[in-house]
Coordinates of all heavy atoms in Angstrom, one line a residue:
S18 N -15.4 9.7 1.2 CA -15.1 8.7 2.4 C -14.0 9.3 3.2 O -14.1 9.3 4.4 CB -14.7 7.3 1.8 OG -15.9 6.8 1.2
A19 N -13.0 9.9 2.5 CA -11.8 10.4 3.2 C -12.2 11.6 4.0 O -11.6 11.9 5.1 CB -10.7 10.8 2.2
S20 N -13.2 12.5 3.6 CA -13.6 13.6 4.3 C -14.4 13.2 5.5 O -14.4 14.0 6.5 CB -14.6 14.5 3.5 OG -15.8 13.9 3.2
H21 N -14.8 12.0 5.7 CA -15.5 11.5 6.9 C -14.5 10.8 7.8 O -14.9 10.5 8.9 CB -16.6 10.6 6.5 CG -17.7 11.3 5.8 ND1 -18.6 12.3 6.5 CD2 -18.2 11.2 4.6 CE1 -19.4 12.7 5.6 NE2 -19.3 12.0 4.4
A22 N -13.3 10.6 7.4 CA -12.3 9.9 8.2 C -11.9 10.7 9.4 O -11.9 12.1 9.2 CB -11.0 9.6 7.4
Q23 N -11.6 10.2 10.5 CA -11.3 11.0 11.6 C -9.8 11.6 11.5 O -8.9 10.9 11.3 CB -11.3 10.0 12.9 CG -11.1 10.8 14.2 CD -11.2 9.8 15.4 OE1 -11.1 8.5 15.2 NE2 -11.3 10.4 16.6
A24 N -9.7 12.9 11.6 CA -8.4 13.5 11.4 C -7.5 13.5 12.6 O -6.3 13.3 12.5 CB -8.6 15.0 10.9
V25 N -8.0 13.6 13.8 CA -7.4 13.6 15.0 C -7.9 12.5 15.9 O -9.1 12.2 16.1 CB -7.6 15.0 15.8 CG1 -6.9 14.9 17.2 CG2 -7.2 16.1 14.9
R26 N -7.0 11.7 16.4 CA -7.3 10.5 17.3 C -7.0 10.8 18.7 O -6.0 11.6 19.0 CB -6.5 9.3 16.8 CG -7.0 8.9 15.4 CD -6.4 7.4 15.1 NE -6.7 6.6 16.2 CZ -6.0 5.5 16.6 NH1 -5.0 5.1 15.8 NH2 -6.4 4.7 17.5
V27 N -7.8 10.3 19.5 CA -7.5 10.4 21.0 C -7.1 9.0 21.5 O -7.9 8.0 21.2 CB -8.8 10.9 21.8 CG1 -8.5 11.0 23.3 CG2 -9.2 12.3 21.3
E28 N -5.9 8.9 22.1 CA -5.4 7.6 22.6 C -5.0 7.7 24.0 O -4.6 8.7 24.5 CB -4.3 7.1 21.8 CG -4.4 6.9 20.3 CD -3.2 6.7 19.6 OE1 -2.2 7.0 19.9 OE2 -3.3 5.8 18.6
K29 N -5.2 6.6 24.9 CA -4.8 6.6 26.1 C -3.3 6.2 26.0 O -2.8 5.4 25.1 CB -5.5 5.5 27.0 CG -6.9 5.8 27.1 CD -7.7 4.7 27.8 CE -9.1 5.1 28.0 NZ -9.9 4.0 28.6
N30 N -2.5 6.6 26.9 CA -1.1 6.4 27.1 C -0.6 6.3 28.4 O -1.3 6.6 29.5 CB -0.3 7.4 26.2 CG 1.0 6.8 25.6 OD1 1.5 5.8 26.0 ND2 1.5 7.4 24.5
M31 N 0.6 5.9 28.6 CA 1.2 5.6 29.9 C 1.8 7.0 30.6 O 2.6 7.6 29.9 CB 2.5 4.6 29.6 CG 3.3 4.2 30.9 SD 2.6 3.0 31.9 CE 2.4 1.7 30.7
S32 N 1.4 7.2 31.7 CA 2.0 8.4 32.4 C 3.3 7.8 33.1 O 3.5 6.7 33.4 CB 1.0 8.8 33.5 OG 0.9 8.0 34.6
L33 N 4.1 8.8 33.5 CA 5.3 8.6 34.2 C 5.1 8.0 35.5 O 5.8 7.0 35.9 CB 6.2 9.9 34.3 CG 7.6 9.6 35.0 CD1 8.4 8.6 34.3 CD2 8.3 11.0 35.1
E34 N 4.1 8.5 36.2 CA 3.7 8.0 37.6 C 3.3 6.6 37.5 O 3.9 5.7 38.3 CB 2.6 8.9 38.2 CG 2.3 8.4 39.5 CD 1.0 9.0 40.1 OE1 0.6 10.2 39.6 OE2 0.5 8.6 41.1
L35 N 2.5 6.2 36.6 CA 2.0 4.8 36.3 C 3.3 3.9 36.0 O 3.4 2.9 36.6 CB 1.0 4.6 35.3 CG 0.5 3.3 35.0 CD1 -0.1 2.5 36.2 CD2 -0.5 3.4 33.9
A36 N 4.1 4.4 35.0 CA 5.2 3.6 34.7 C 6.2 3.3 35.7 O 6.7 2.3 36.0 CB 6.0 4.3 33.5
N37 N 6.4 4.4 36.6 CA 7.4 4.2 37.8 C 6.7 3.2 38.8 O 7.4 2.3 39.3 CB 7.5 5.5 38.6 CG 8.6 6.3 37.8 OD1 9.6 5.8 37.2 ND2 8.4 7.6 37.7
Q38 N 5.3 3.3 39.0 CA 4.7 2.3 39.9 C 4.8 0.9 39.4 O 5.1 0.0 40.2 CB 3.2 2.7 40.1 CG 3.1 4.0 41.0 CD 1.7 4.3 41.4 OE1 1.0 3.3 41.7 NE2 1.4 5.5 41.4
I39 N 4.6 0.7 38.1 CA 4.7 -0.7 37.5 C 6.2 -1.3 37.8 O 6.3 -2.4 38.0 CB 4.3 -0.7 36.1 CG1 2.7 -0.5 36.0 CG2 4.5 -2.0 35.5 CD1 2.2 -0.3 34.6
A40 N 7.1 -0.4 37.4 CA 8.5 -0.8 37.5 C 9.0 -1.1 39.0 O 9.6 -2.2 39.2 CB 9.4 0.3 36.9
V41 N 8.5 -0.3 39.9 CA 8.8 -0.6 41.2 C 8.1 -1.8 41.8 O 8.8 -2.7 42.5 CB 8.4 0.6 42.1 CG1 8.5 0.3 43.7 CG2 9.4 1.8 41.9
Q42 N 6.9 -2.0 41.5 CA 6.2 -3.2 41.9 C 6.7 -4.5 41.2 O 6.7 -5.5 41.9 CB 4.6 -3.1 41.5 CG 4.0 -2.0 42.3 CD 3.8 -2.3 43.8 OE1 3.9 -3.4 44.2 NE2 3.7 -1.2 44.6
S43 N 7.3 -4.4 40.0 CA 7.8 -5.5 39.4 C 9.1 -6.0 40.0 O 9.2 -7.2 40.3 CB 8.1 -5.2 37.9 OG 6.9 -4.9 37.2
V44 N 9.9 -5.1 40.4 CA 11.1 -5.4 41.1 C 10.8 -6.0 42.4 O 11.5 -6.9 42.8 CB 12.1 -4.1 41.1 CG1 13.4 -4.4 42.0 CG2 12.6 -3.8 39.7
A45 N 10.0 -5.4 43.1 CA 9.6 -5.7 44.5 C 9.0 -7.1 44.5 O 9.3 -8.0 45.3 CB 8.5 -4.8 45.1
A46 N 8.2 -7.5 43.5 CA 7.6 -8.7 43.4 C 8.7 -9.9 43.2 O 8.6 -10.9 43.8 CB 6.5 -8.9 42.2
C47 N 9.6 -9.6 42.4 CA 10.7 -10.6 42.1 C 11.5 -10.6 43.4 O 12.1 -11.7 43.7 CB 11.5 -10.2 40.9 SG 10.8 -10.9 39.4
A48 N 11.8 -9.5 44.0 CA 12.7 -9.5 45.2 C 12.1 -10.3 46.3 O 12.7 -11.1 47.1 CB 12.9 -8.0 45.7
A49 N 10.7 -10.3 46.4 CA 10.1 -11.2 47.4 C 10.3 -12.6 47.1 O 10.3 -13.4 48.1 CB 8.6 -10.8 47.4
D50 N 10.6 -13.0 45.9 CA 10.9 -14.4 45.6 C 12.4 -14.7 45.5 O 12.9 -15.7 45.2 CB 10.2 -14.8 44.3 CG 8.7 -14.9 44.4 OD1 8.3 -15.2 45.5 OD2 8.1 -14.6 43.4
G51 N 13.2 -13.7 45.9 CA 14.7 -13.8 46.0 C 15.4 -13.6 44.6 O 16.6 -14.0 44.5
Y52 N 14.7 -12.8 43.6 CA 15.3 -12.7 42.4 C 15.7 -11.1 42.2 O 14.8 -10.3 42.4 CB 14.3 -13.1 41.3 CG 13.8 -14.4 41.4 CD1 12.5 -14.6 41.3 CD2 14.6 -15.5 41.6 CE1 11.9 -15.9 41.4 CE2 14.1 -16.8 41.8 CZ 12.7 -16.9 41.7 OH 12.3 -18.3 41.8
A53 N 16.9 -10.8 41.9 CA 17.3 -9.6 41.5 C 17.1 -9.3 40.0 O 17.8 -9.8 39.2 CB 18.8 -9.3 41.9
V54 N 16.3 -8.4 39.7 CA 15.7 -8.2 38.3 C 15.9 -6.7 37.9 O 16.0 -5.9 38.7 CB 14.4 -8.7 38.0 CG1 14.3 -10.2 38.4 CG2 13.3 -8.0 38.8
T55 N 15.7 -6.5 36.6 CA 15.5 -5.2 36.0 C 14.0 -5.2 35.4 O 13.6 -6.1 34.7 CB 16.5 -4.7 35.0 OG1 17.7 -4.7 35.6 CG2 16.2 -3.4 34.4
A56 N 13.3 -4.1 35.7 CA 12.0 -3.9 35.0 C 12.0 -2.6 34.2 O 12.5 -1.6 34.7 CB 10.9 -3.8 36.2
T57 N 11.6 -2.7 33.0 CA 11.6 -1.6 32.1 C 10.1 -1.4 31.7 O 9.4 -2.4 31.2 CB 12.4 -1.7 30.9 OG1 13.8 -1.9 31.3 CG2 12.3 -0.5 29.9
V58 N 9.5 -0.3 31.7 CA 8.2 0.0 31.3 C 8.2 1.0 30.1 O 9.0 2.0 30.1 CB 7.4 0.6 32.4 CG1 6.0 0.9 31.9 CG2 7.3 -0.3 33.6
V59 N 7.5 0.7 29.0 CA 7.4 1.5 27.8 C 6.0 1.9 27.6 O 5.1 1.3 28.1 CB 8.0 0.7 26.6 CG1 9.3 0.2 26.8 CG2 7.1 -0.6 26.2
D60 N 5.9 2.9 26.8 CA 4.6 3.5 26.5 C 4.1 2.7 25.2 O 4.7 1.8 24.8 CB 4.6 5.0 26.3 CG 5.4 5.4 25.0 OD1 5.7 4.5 24.2 OD2 5.7 6.6 25.0
R61 N 2.9 3.1 24.8 CA 2.3 2.4 23.7 C 3.0 2.3 22.3 O 2.9 1.5 21.5 CB 0.9 2.9 23.3 CG 0.9 4.4 22.8 CD -0.5 4.9 22.5 NE -1.3 4.1 21.7 CZ -2.5 3.7 22.0 NH1 -3.0 4.0 23.3 NH2 -3.3 2.8 21.2
A62 N 4.0 3.2 22.2 CA 4.9 3.3 21.0 C 6.1 2.5 21.3 O 7.0 2.5 20.4 CB 5.3 4.7 20.7
G63 N 6.4 2.0 22.5 CA 7.6 1.2 22.8 C 8.7 2.0 23.2 O 9.9 1.6 23.4
T64 N 8.5 3.4 23.6 CA 9.5 4.2 24.1 C 9.6 4.0 25.6 O 8.6 4.0 26.4 CB 9.1 5.7 23.7 OG1 8.9 5.7 22.4 CG2 10.2 6.6 24.2
V65 N 10.8 4.0 26.1 CA 11.0 3.8 27.6 C 10.5 4.9 28.4 O 10.8 6.1 28.1 CB 12.6 3.6 27.8 CG1 12.8 3.5 29.4 CG2 13.1 2.3 27.2
R66 N 9.7 4.5 29.5 CA 9.2 5.6 30.3 C 9.9 5.4 31.7 O 9.9 6.4 32.4 CB 7.6 5.3 30.5 CG 7.0 5.6 29.2 CD 6.9 7.1 28.9 NE 6.1 7.8 29.8 CZ 6.3 9.1 30.2 NH1 7.3 9.8 29.6 NH2 5.4 9.8 31.0
A67 N 10.1 4.1 32.2 CA 10.7 4.0 33.4 C 11.6 2.8 33.5 O 11.2 1.7 32.8 CB 9.6 3.9 34.5
V68 N 12.6 2.7 34.3 CA 13.5 1.6 34.5 C 13.9 1.6 36.0 O 14.2 2.5 36.7 CB 14.8 1.7 33.8 CG1 15.7 0.5 34.0 CG2 14.5 1.8 32.3
Q69 N 13.7 0.3 36.5 CA 14.2 0.0 37.9 C 15.1 -1.2 37.8 O 14.7 -2.2 37.3 CB 13.0 -0.3 38.8 CG 12.3 1.0 39.3 CD 12.9 1.8 40.2 OE1 13.4 1.4 41.3 NE2 12.9 3.0 40.0
R70 N 16.3 -1.1 38.3 CA 17.2 -2.2 38.5 C 17.5 -2.5 39.8 O 18.0 -1.6 40.6 CB 18.5 -1.9 37.6 CG 19.5 -3.0 37.6 CD 20.7 -2.6 36.6 NE 21.8 -3.7 36.8 CZ 22.9 -3.5 37.6 NH1 23.1 -2.3 38.1 NH2 23.7 -4.4 37.7
A71 N 17.3 -3.8 40.2 CA 17.6 -4.1 41.7 C 19.0 -4.2 41.9 O 19.8 -4.4 41.0 CB 16.8 -5.5 41.9
D72 N 19.3 -4.0 43.2 CA 20.8 -4.3 43.6 C 21.1 -5.7 43.1 O 20.3 -6.6 43.3 CB 21.0 -4.1 45.0 CG 20.6 -2.7 45.6 OD1 20.8 -1.8 44.7 OD2 20.3 -2.6 46.7
N73 N 22.3 -5.8 42.6 CA 22.8 -7.1 42.2 C 22.1 -7.8 40.9 O 22.4 -8.9 40.6 CB 22.7 -8.2 43.4 CG 23.5 -7.8 44.5 OD1 24.6 -7.4 44.4 ND2 23.0 -8.0 45.7
A74 N 21.3 -7.0 40.2 CA 20.8 -7.4 39.0 C 21.9 -7.5 37.9 O 22.7 -6.4 37.9 CB 19.6 -6.7 38.5
G75 N 22.0 -8.4 37.2 CA 23.0 -8.4 36.1 C 22.9 -7.4 35.0 O 21.8 -6.8 34.8
P76 N 24.1 -6.9 34.5 CA 24.0 -5.8 33.6 C 23.2 -6.2 32.4 O 22.6 -5.3 31.8 CB 25.5 -5.6 33.2 CG 26.3 -6.8 33.7 CD 25.4 -7.3 34.9
H77 N 23.1 -7.4 31.9 CA 22.4 -7.9 30.8 C 20.9 -7.7 31.0 O 20.1 -7.6 30.0 CB 22.7 -9.4 30.5 CG 22.3 -10.2 31.5 ND1 22.9 -10.4 32.8 CD2 21.1 -11.1 31.5 CE1 22.2 -11.3 33.4 NE2 21.1 -11.7 32.8
T78 N 20.5 -7.6 32.3 CA 19.0 -7.5 32.4 C 18.5 -6.1 32.0 O 17.3 -6.1 31.7 CB 18.7 -7.7 34.0 OG1 19.4 -6.7 34.8 CG2 19.1 -9.0 34.5
L79 N 19.3 -5.1 31.9 CA 18.7 -3.8 31.4 C 18.3 -4.0 29.9 O 17.1 -3.6 29.6 CB 19.9 -2.8 31.4 CG 20.2 -2.2 32.8 CD1 21.5 -1.5 32.8 CD2 19.1 -1.3 33.2
E80 N 19.1 -4.5 29.0 CA 18.6 -4.6 27.7 C 17.6 -5.8 27.5 O 16.6 -5.6 26.7 CB 19.8 -5.0 26.8 CG 19.6 -5.0 25.3 CD 19.1 -3.7 24.7 OE1 19.1 -2.7 25.4 OE2 18.9 -3.5 23.5
G81 N 17.7 -6.8 28.2 CA 16.7 -7.8 28.2 C 15.3 -7.4 28.5 O 14.3 -7.6 27.9
S82 N 15.2 -6.6 29.7 CA 13.9 -6.1 30.0 C 13.4 -5.1 29.0 O 12.1 -5.1 28.8 CB 14.0 -5.5 31.4 OG 14.8 -4.3 31.4
R83 N 14.2 -4.3 28.4 CA 13.8 -3.3 27.5 C 13.2 -4.0 26.2 O 12.1 -3.7 25.7 CB 14.9 -2.3 27.1 CG 14.4 -1.2 26.1 CD 15.5 -0.4 25.6 NE 16.3 -1.2 24.6 CZ 16.0 -1.5 23.3 NH1 14.8 -1.1 22.9 NH2 16.8 -2.2 22.6
L84 N 14.1 -5.0 25.7 CA 13.6 -5.8 24.6 C 12.2 -6.5 24.8 O 11.3 -6.5 23.9 CB 14.5 -6.6 24.1 CG 15.8 -6.0 23.5 CD1 16.9 -7.0 23.2 CD2 15.5 -5.2 22.2
K85 N 12.1 -7.1 26.0 CA 10.9 -7.7 26.3 C 9.6 -6.8 26.3 O 8.5 -7.1 25.8 CB 10.8 -8.4 27.6 CG 11.8 -9.7 27.6 CD 11.9 -10.3 29.0 CE 12.9 -11.4 29.1 NZ 12.9 -12.1 30.4
A86 N 9.9 -5.6 27.0 CA 8.8 -4.6 27.0 C 8.5 -4.1 25.6 O 7.3 -4.0 25.2 CB 9.2 -3.4 27.9
F87 N 9.4 -3.9 24.8 CA 9.2 -3.4 23.4 C 8.4 -4.4 22.6 O 7.5 -4.1 21.9 CB 10.5 -3.0 22.7 CG 10.4 -2.7 21.3 CD1 10.1 -1.5 20.8 CD2 10.5 -3.7 20.2 CE1 9.8 -1.1 19.5 CE2 10.4 -3.4 18.9 CZ 10.0 -2.1 18.6
T88 N 8.9 -5.7 22.8 CA 8.2 -6.8 22.0 C 6.7 -6.9 22.4 O 5.8 -7.0 21.5 CB 8.9 -8.1 22.2 OG1 10.3 -8.0 21.8 CG2 8.3 -9.2 21.4
S89 N 6.5 -6.8 23.7 CA 5.1 -6.9 24.2 C 4.2 -5.7 23.7 O 3.1 -5.9 23.3 CB 5.1 -7.1 25.7 OG 3.9 -7.2 26.1
A90 N 4.7 -4.6 23.8 CA 4.0 -3.4 23.4 C 3.8 -3.4 21.8 O 2.7 -3.1 21.4 CB 4.8 -2.1 23.8
S91 N 4.8 -3.8 21.1 CA 4.6 -3.8 19.7 C 3.7 -4.8 19.2 O 2.9 -4.5 18.3 CB 6.1 -4.1 19.1 OG 5.9 -4.3 17.6
A92 N 3.7 -6.0 19.7 CA 2.8 -7.1 19.4 C 1.5 -7.1 20.2 O 0.5 -7.8 19.8 CB 3.4 -8.3 19.6
K93 N 1.4 -6.3 21.2 CA 0.2 -6.2 22.1 C -0.1 -7.5 22.6 O -1.2 -8.0 22.6 CB -0.9 -5.6 21.2 CG -0.7 -4.2 20.9 CD -2.0 -3.6 20.1 CE -1.9 -2.2 19.8 NZ -0.7 -1.7 19.3

Side-chain angles (χ1 to χ4, degrees):
S18 295
S20 69
H21 293 294
Q23 189 177 15
V25 177
R26 294 190 52 200
V27 177
E28 298 175 327
K29 295 177 182 175
N30 211 334
M31 177 83 59
S32 71
L33 179 60
E34 179 183 347
L35 176 60
N37 280 325
Q38 286 187 37
I39 293 169
V41 167
Q42 292 296 333
S43 296
V44 170
C47 274
D50 289 333
Y52 309 129
V54 302
T55 297
T57 300
V58 180
V59 299
D60 64 16
R61 66 183 305 122
T64 303
V65 173
R66 295 290 289 151
V68 178
Q69 287 285 314
R70 182 173 168 258
D72 295 336
N73 298 317
H77 66 285
T78 62
L79 284 163
E80 186 65 358
S82 66
R83 185 190 69 78
L84 291 172
K85 290 177 184 185
F87 173 82
T88 302
S89 181
S91 176
K93 296 178 174 49

